[in-house]
Amino acid sequence: QPVESGGGSVQSGGSLVLSCTVPTISTCGQAWHRQAPGKERELVASISSLGTPAYADSVKGRFTISRDENTNTLYLQMNNLKSDDTAMYYCEADWCYRQDFGQGTQVTVSS
């Protein structure tokens, strides 16, 4: 089961780095999702098994997804944070036939 960390409170324009540890790197890639109160969960960023990243339009140029296969850790570097980025952030491990999600880590951005 993925375990997220690194959330917290930050002012608008600030930065945070989220981490997610997994027992082993999942076969079909990993991703970060987020869910704000009253909204549906949305895909923020993903990284394929070959290391190709993809981003939601709302975070392009501000967020960077990466992983360290030596430590089985997924990262999300978040820069120039905005109040709209306030949400619970979830790590996903995609095994192709199954997706595992962590419990989430809260990110709160104040203006």
Side-chain angles (χ1 to χ4, degrees):
Q1 199 77 3
V3 178
E4 303 95 338
S5 61
S9 296
V10 64
Q11 288 193 331
S12 181
S15 298
L16 282 174
V17 179
L18 304 184
S19 300
C20 173
T21 57
V22 292
T24 186
I25 295 295
S26 50
T27 313
C28 279
Q30 300 79 39
W32 287 97
H33 300 251
R34 68 185 180 188
Q35 187 167 18
K39 295 186 178 181
E40 293 186 355
R41 185 175 294 191
E42 64 170 334
L43 177 63
V44 174
S46 63
I47 185 167
S48 74
S49 58
L50 296 179
T52 303
Y55 301 94
D57 288 342
S58 58
V59 306
K60 276 181 183 176
R62 300 188 298 120
F63 290 12
T64 303
I65 188 171
S66 63
R67 70 173 171 238
D68 184 339
E69 296 187 3
N70 292 319
T71 60
N72 295 338
T73 305
L74 180 72
Y75 297 99
L76 186 67
Q77 172 74 50
M78 305 186 295
N79 297 328
N80 191 21
L81 283 160
K82 306 175 181 180
S83 56
D84 286 348
D85 296 319
T86 295
M88 185 71 79
Y89 284 71
Y90 298 91
C91 173
E92 175 201 350
D94 187 354
W95 295 98
C96 305
Y97 59 89
R98 185 188 84 224
Q99 290 75 44
D100 293 333
F101 288 87
Q103 294 298 306
T105 185
Q106 178 68 38
V107 172
T108 302
V109 183
S110 57
S111 56

